[in-house]
Amino acid sequence: MLGGIMLRKGLYGLLALAALIAVLLATWEPLLAESAAPPPARKYDSVIARDRFGVPHIFGRTDPDTAYGIGYAHAEDDFDTLQEVLAMTRGRLGAISGQEGAKTDYVVHLLGARATIDRDYMAQPADVRALLDGYASGLNAYARRHPGEVKLAKLFPVNGQDVATGFVVRSPFFFGLDGVLASLVGDKPLPVERAAPATTPVGPDARENGSNAFAVAPKRSADGWTRLVSNSHQPWRGGVAWYELVVHSGTGWNFAGATFPGAPYPLLGHNETLGWTNTVNRPDLIDLYKLVTAKGDGGDRYRYDGQWRTIERRRVWLPVRIWGPFVLPVPRTVARAMQGPVIENKAGAFAIRYAGADQLRMVEQYYRLTRARDWAQWDGAMQLQGIPATNFVYADRTGRIALVYNAMFPNRRTGANYAGVLPGDSSLFFSPGTLAWDAVPKNVDPASGFLQNANNSPYLAAGAGSELPEQPPLLGVERDTTNRGTRAVELLSADRSISQAELEAIKYDSAVSKASWAGDWFAEIEAARHDETTSPGQVLLRQWDWNFDGRGPADALALMVMRTGNAWHYRRQARTPPVEALRDAMEHLQKHFGRIDPPLGDVLRLRQGKVDLPLDGGPDVLRAMPLWDVGKDGRLAVKHGDSFLMFMAWDRQGRVRSRSIQPFGAATTRPGSPHYADQAALFVRKQTKPVWFSPAALRGNVERVYRP
């Protein structure tokens, strides 16, 4: 009897302890999270007009009024993603998305993003801060009116500092910081790379972000018009998925284009007089230093120019949602030396210097670019040198076209191997600062009359006789080629008088050039010695017409083989054995389709809710479909590639017009919206919709108008 009582008491005690732990896990994160100071109180005057495709046209009396409307409109269409981006800026993404989000939170702490904001935010121009506050106020207004949609306690209100933090965190991941961090997670530093973390601030496939861009000057166009094509390749969902919008303010700020969740203005597109688009470039902008360390009374130290310095260390707590409301606190330490953030592994302590670190000039720069009216003003905004990387392809109503190989090149000294691991104990290998704007390579008004970039070397952009000269080796300009770049120059060079229809055909081209890396890859597969299991695939590939247009029996097999090749080629990794690549592709098709020659459209799909449509195109072709999720039925649902697409043109009188398309629609996370996937059928058919840029053009094409 006594034993039973004791047993019950013990069980009650364990249950009470478990209940206490559950309460603590459910309450510690919001209790300890710091609330942000709201933006200064102000009444905003903005109007949102939704066009027939749900695209918001935001009108404001001032630019901050317009930014308020941008925040509110985007929250209406994709509040889930916006909250994840905002939680990331606070180091709280793990409280929403668990372990993968916590990895991103660690990166935010490692890079010291909030410290940069705390130091520099109030030094930004007043009009920039007012714009960020207006955008944050629009997000706060939506959260206040829709409390049931808020995922995380004390996430709102947000402020301009939160918005700026998003820029600081995401920028370096467009030029490869994820790969360097991943290489240091293991025991070996560069050049050995491990798989990148599944979650980075720019999505799970950061090292495969790409894009195409084309510009045609009047002398090369059939009608004397100037043309620009923005063809970004971004994830179709998530924190760096494009969101289309048109903005107007009473101060003359008029712009049509697209933005990312968390950005208070368009990041590419056009105004009345000029436009630009971006493609990812991959210069060597990251230097890695191995520190000489020792233990001392003051903690770990590192040697620099004969003196010992203390490694700055800070304990952080990463919230990791494990189930329902329960969030596990996980302690981690972030470290920093004078060169930058420090990661330690069994091979030692390594400091990372990367372009654009510890500054937020990119926030002002993007805004100034959207307000530029001519080349001089646009070039002046570029001279702020806040955007650490990405190519800019530019065109304007005067007929000027340009490719700017934009990068914040670190100061470097001859005689050191900056592609490897540098000694971290001497100033001989570390020179703070960035090269001047004059050092940034630019190809302006080439004699050929055209420019293109498809994530290839800037030395292949304008055709024979019009290319950039070789740049100094210390800049680290990449020499990578892509099939897209090779093919684009082939097609543009062959057409002396390019019409709108011909430019569209070039953009939608789905062929593989035999002069590209992919030509060599398929030739290698064809020449390899195959056994009886892969010989049928080899025979089928020999019949392939080198085009992913969906018309040939070998397209699906070639698609999967091409994806394997592009993965190692674009990531700069070791080649996959060709027979292995072919065998894997054949096994997948045989398993799910009962044959190795199913139609491409049966295999490659656009899927969004109940929409399930066939696609053409493939990896590293101009009709880009490089990444997909494999469904239970074996079909490949594209998730990354051709995303926001915009055709821009200025006629002989300098008047602008444009058309655009998205893979899904304006409200990609709202299944109940008519604009959840209403552009999908047009996208699949390679058709576009009008951009009703001016208020006059918008009239008659409005779905609803309201004040947020």
Side-chain angles (χ1 to χ4, degrees):
M1 184 75 173
L2 182 60
I5 294 173
M6 295 296 291
L7 179 61
R8 284 196 297 273
K9 285 184 176 179
L11 289 174
Y12 292 150
L14 288 175
L15 289 173
L17 179 61
L20 177 62
I21 292 173
V23 170
L24 291 174
L25 290 178
T27 59
W28 77 269
E29 201 279 337
L31 282 175
L32 296 183
E34 294 184 7
S35 297
R42 173 183 165 176
K43 185 176 181 180
Y44 290 94
D45 182 9
S46 60
V47 173
I48 299 172
R50 298 275 184 171
D51 69 25
R52 290 195 283 112
F53 288 91
V55 174
H57 298 242
I58 300 112
F59 298 82
R61 184 176 57 84
T62 66
D63 294 7
D65 292 329
T66 305
Y68 175 92
I70 293 172
Y72 197 93
H74 203 164
E76 289 182 302
D77 291 329
D78 194 1
F79 195 45
D80 279 354
T81 302
L82 280 163
Q83 290 185 78
E84 292 180 0
V85 171
L86 295 167
M88 174 197 73
T89 70
R90 299 266 191 87
R92 300 181 65 196
L93 183 57
I96 294 177
S97 56
Q99 184 176 354
E100 296 305 320
K103 294 178 183 178
T104 299
D105 293 336
Y106 175 76
V107 171
V108 174
H109 292 298
L110 178 69
L111 302 187
R114 295 304 301 205
T116 299
I117 298 301
D118 292 342
R119 185 190 67 234
D120 292 346
Y121 182 79
M122 293 308 297
Q124 301 306 299
D127 63 331
V128 174
R129 286 186 280 113
L131 192 83
L132 300 183
D133 283 340
Y135 177 75
S137 296
L139 298 174
N140 292 336
Y142 185 87
R144 189 168 57 251
R145 296 170 192 173
H146 302 83
E149 295 184 31
V150 176
K151 294 181 176 182
L152 204 57
K154 294 170 73 173
L155 180 58
F156 295 94
V158 295
N159 56 30
Q161 288 93 326
D162 296 315
V163 178
T165 303
F167 284 84
V168 174
V169 174
R170 291 190 287 196
S171 293
F173 287 84
F174 282 97
F175 58 84
L177 185 59
D178 61 309
V180 174
L181 294 180
S183 76
L184 296 173
V185 170
D187 300 334
K188 297 179 180 179
L190 295 178
V192 178
E193 283 197 11
R194 300 196 171 197
T199 301
T200 74
V202 295
D205 305 300
R207 284 181 291 167
E208 300 212 33
N209 287 337
S211 294
N212 303 329
F214 312 87
V216 179
K219 64 182 177 183
R220 192 80 181 203
S221 66
D223 50 13
W225 290 27
T226 306
R227 290 190 166 85
L228 177 65
V229 181
S230 177
N231 180 206
S232 180
H233 302 161
Q234 288 295 118
W236 289 3
R237 302 175 179 88
V240 283
W242 288 115
Y243 180 71
E244 185 176 5
L245 72 169
V246 182
V247 301
H248 299 282
S249 87
T251 65
W253 187 35
N254 303 302
F255 205 92
T259 192
F260 288 154
Y265 35 54
L267 298 173
L268 49 75
H270 71 85
N271 57 28
E272 300 95 327
T273 59
L274 59 82
W276 74 87
T277 188
N278 299 105
T279 64
V280 171
N281 59 0
R282 297 189 293 166
D284 177 12
L285 300 179
I286 303 170
D287 297 335
L288 192 62
Y289 297 87
K290 185 171 184 180
L291 303 179
V292 177
T293 60
K295 299 290 184 180
D297 294 337
D300 291 349
R301 299 181 299 165
Y302 67 102
R303 189 172 64 208
Y304 190 79
D305 282 350
Q307 296 183 342
W308 290 97
R309 301 176 180 229
T310 301
I311 295 177
E312 300 173 18
R313 297 186 183 279
R314 184 165 56 92
R315 175 60 61 93
V316 298
W317 290 90
L318 305 179
V320 182
R321 182 174 179 268
I322 50 179
W323 178 76
F326 304 122
V327 177
L328 186 69
V330 177
R332 288 290 184 268
T333 299
V334 293
R336 177 173 286 262
M338 66 173 302
Q339 297 96 335
V342 172
I343 292 183
E344 295 162 288
N345 58 34
K346 292 180 180 179
F350 298 88
I352 307 165
R353 178 203 191 182
Y354 60 93
D358 305 324
Q359 58 87 28
L360 52 96
R361 292 190 304 277
M362 74 287 285
V363 179
E364 178 185 2
Q365 183 175 347
Y366 275 120
Y367 177 44
R368 304 295 183 222
L369 289 172
T370 64
R371 293 211 56 123
R373 305 296 297 178
D374 55 31
W375 169 258
Q377 292 180 6
W378 191 87
D379 183 68
M382 291 294 290
Q383 292 181 38
L384 288 172
Q385 288 190 279
I387 301 169
T390 71
N391 296 305
F392 281 76
V393 178
Y394 167 98
D396 65 31
R397 68 178 180 182
T398 71
R400 167 157 285 179
I401 62 173
L403 166 64
V404 178
Y405 184 83
N406 176 68
M408 294 177 65
F409 296 107
N411 281 324
R412 289 169 173 162
R413 298 174 180 175
T414 57
N417 178 19
Y418 288 93
V421 180
L422 296 158
D425 61 346
S426 172
S427 59
L428 292 175
F429 306 99
F430 177 67
S431 302
T434 300
L435 295 185
W437 175 244
D438 290 345
V440 174
K442 310 169 190 69
N443 195 335
V444 181
D445 290 332
S448 66
F450 73 81
L451 285 163
Q452 74 81 35
N453 187 269
N455 313 116
N456 56 282
S457 167
Y459 304 135
L460 182 66
S466 295
E467 301 291 9
L468 277 173
E470 291 281 336
Q471 300 298 303
L474 284 179
L475 293 187
V477 175
E478 79 264 34
R479 306 193 67 88
D480 299 78
T481 63
T482 61
N483 174 71
R484 290 173 288 123
T486 301
R487 181 70 176 159
V489 170
E490 287 177 348
L491 294 170
L492 290 164
S493 297
D495 193 339
R496 305 300 303 177
S497 180
I498 303 171
S499 67
Q500 175 67 25
E502 289 166 337
L503 185 58
E504 291 179 14
I506 290 171
K507 182 274 147 300
Y508 287 117
D509 180 80
S510 54
V512 171
S513 169
K514 294 185 178 181
S516 72
W517 72 268
D520 294 339
W521 170 240
F522 280 105
E524 186 178 344
I525 293 172
E526 184 175 336
R529 180 172 296 182
H530 294 261
D531 57 27
E532 61 182 11
T533 63
T534 56
S535 289
Q538 183 185 39
V539 171
L540 181 60
L541 284 181
R542 285 173 177 164
Q543 303 171 28
W544 186 45
D545 63 357
W546 294 75
N547 201 315
F548 296 113
D549 57 8
R551 299 175 184 174
D555 285 7
L557 182 62
L559 172 89
M560 301 192 71
V561 171
M562 181 78 163
R563 167 66 190 132
T564 300
N566 193 47
W568 59 254
H569 172 78
Y570 194 72
R571 293 178 177 177
R572 302 167 176 166
Q573 295 179 341
R575 282 175 177 255
T576 302
V579 176
E580 177 184 321
L582 182 58
R583 179 179 289 110
D584 290 347
M586 293 175 64
E587 288 177 353
H588 179 90
L589 294 174
Q590 190 67 48
K591 174 182 177 181
H592 294 285
F593 300 92
R595 52 196 282 201
I596 64 171
D597 61 346
L600 178 62
D602 286 358
V603 178
L604 195 67
R605 310 293 292 184
L606 182 152
R607 285 178 165 174
Q608 171 80 329
K610 296 180 180 180
V611 174
D612 190 352
L613 299 171
L615 281 166
D616 61 352
D620 200 18
V621 294
L622 294 171
R623 172 66 158 168
M625 304 292 159
L627 291 175
W628 47 71
D629 288 322
V630 180
K632 293 181 180 179
D633 57 2
R635 288 175 167 80
L636 313 177
V638 176
K639 63 178 181 179
H640 189 297
D642 274 7
S643 49
F644 175 70
L645 174 60
M646 181 177 251
F647 290 92
M648 297 162 265
W650 287 265
D651 64 18
R652 290 175 178 270
Q653 288 73 44
R655 296 170 299 198
V656 69
R657 62 199 67 189
S658 58
R659 298 184 66 87
S660 66
I661 198 67
Q662 291 264 49
F664 299 146
T668 58
T669 61
R670 303 286 193 182
S673 169
H675 306 297
Y676 181 60
D678 60 330
Q679 298 182 45
L682 291 172
F683 179 84
V684 166
R685 295 196 300 265
K686 305 183 181 71
Q687 296 175 337
T688 55
K689 61 177 184 58
V691 175
W692 294 290
F693 177 48
S694 69
L698 182 61
R699 293 190 191 100
N701 296 292
V702 176
E703 183 178 82
R704 63 189 177 108
V705 179
Y706 55 100
R707 289 184 176 274

